[in-house]
Amino acid sequence: MTAGALVGQRALVTGSGRGIGFAIARALGAAGAAVIVNGRSERATRDASASLAAEGIDAAAAVFDAGDTDRAEAVAEETGPIDILINAAGPRDRRRTPDLPPEAVLDLFRAHALGAYALTRALAPGMAARGGGSVVNVTSIAGPRARPGDAGYTAAKGALEALTRSHAVEFGPLGIRVNAVAPGFTLTEANAAMADDPEIAAFLETRAAIPRWGRPAEVAAAALFLASPAASYITGHVLVVDGGLSVRM
């Protein structure tokens, strides 16, 4: 991707105070986009924005809860024109179904799927009026697959993957492309404890074609491609970034 591929574009990246979201914001900014960093924590969000600005990236902070669907229209007004929306926000709640109440599952759906739905809905008219735009949802290989003790997250990511297809066919005629990246085991702050688990290391050694943890920058490169003009005829696609884990028998 050339350094100036996204010059003149404005991107909102939810959940970009750290981890994969931050890596995506950095990749978009390095490609020339003006980036709006988002998170619920004011300090973390502003620190992330300042870190990108120190690298020469045009970055600003927007502190709000991406899962608060009632705020989506206001966010669209406050952020101004957005050409690229990256829906990367979303927590994880690793509890087995007997220990995971329905209200906790609903919280996961709000954070992952409903938040992405509401923000896309709010920003799409402006994108269409300016000739088009790009939405990239950060799903997971947990969407079409599953591990024990992760039912709420898996269901929410599955819904976000389905939403990606639905919005692709709905907004395509308006010039808006909607795709997704589906990371596998990615070495983020949230997964630090798992990274030291010898059972998971052994699992990756035997199951992944590239037997190691992925890096946030590797997921970000995929998101950058989908958001960019290089993917101008791609929509409704889920680009899996998992080192071949999900294709191995």
Side-chain angles (χ1 to χ4, degrees):
M1 192 67 60
T2 59
L6 299 182
V7 168
Q9 301 282 292
R10 297 184 77 244
L12 169 61
V13 186
T14 70
S16 50
R18 63 176 188 166
I20 290 173
F22 179 77
I24 293 174
R26 171 183 274 160
L28 297 178
V35 178
I36 299 174
V37 177
N38 159 256
R40 293 181 295 180
S41 165
E42 181 165 359
R43 180 174 181 177
T45 304
R46 297 197 184 284
D47 284 352
S49 174
S51 175
L52 294 179
E55 297 178 17
I57 290 171
D58 183 350
V63 181
F64 64 89
D65 182 353
D68 184 355
T69 57
D70 292 334
R71 284 270 298 134
E73 296 291 342
V75 167
E77 290 289 332
E78 293 163 6
T79 57
I82 296 295
D83 305 292
I84 299 168
L85 170 62
I86 310 291
N87 289 305
R92 197 155 192 162
D93 192 335
R94 291 187 176 94
R95 287 185 282 174
R96 289 180 178 270
T97 297
D99 302 316
L100 187 68
E103 55 267 26
V105 177
L106 183 56
D107 286 343
L108 288 168
F109 268 78
R110 285 195 187 98
H112 293 275
L114 294 178
Y117 177 93
L119 277 176
T120 303
R121 177 177 181 270
L123 292 169
M127 289 182 179
R130 293 186 300 279
S134 177
V135 178
V136 179
N137 297 320
V138 179
T139 60
S140 170
I141 60 169
R145 291 162 182 81
R147 298 179 70 240
D150 220 5
Y153 179 84
T154 298
K157 286 301 193 185
L160 183 56
E161 183 172 314
L163 180 66
T164 299
R165 295 191 297 271
S166 183
H167 275 174
V169 297
E170 183 169 342
F171 293 123
L174 302 178
I176 301 170
R177 296 182 299 105
V178 184
N179 292 290
V181 289
F185 284 75
T186 307
L187 194 56
T188 64
E189 297 93 326
N191 290 331
M194 292 177 65
D196 295 327
D197 187 332
E199 290 187 10
I200 293 179
F203 173 79
L204 290 175
E205 185 69 31
T206 57
R207 288 296 304 275
I210 302 174
R212 62 167 174 81
W213 282 77
R215 295 183 290 268
E218 293 171 317
V219 180
L224 171 61
F225 165 68
L226 291 174
S228 78
S232 59
Y233 197 53
I234 299 174
T235 196
H237 182 71
V238 179
L239 179 50
V240 177
V241 187
D242 70 348
L245 177 68
S246 58
V247 299
R248 185 166 181 172
M249 293 181 65

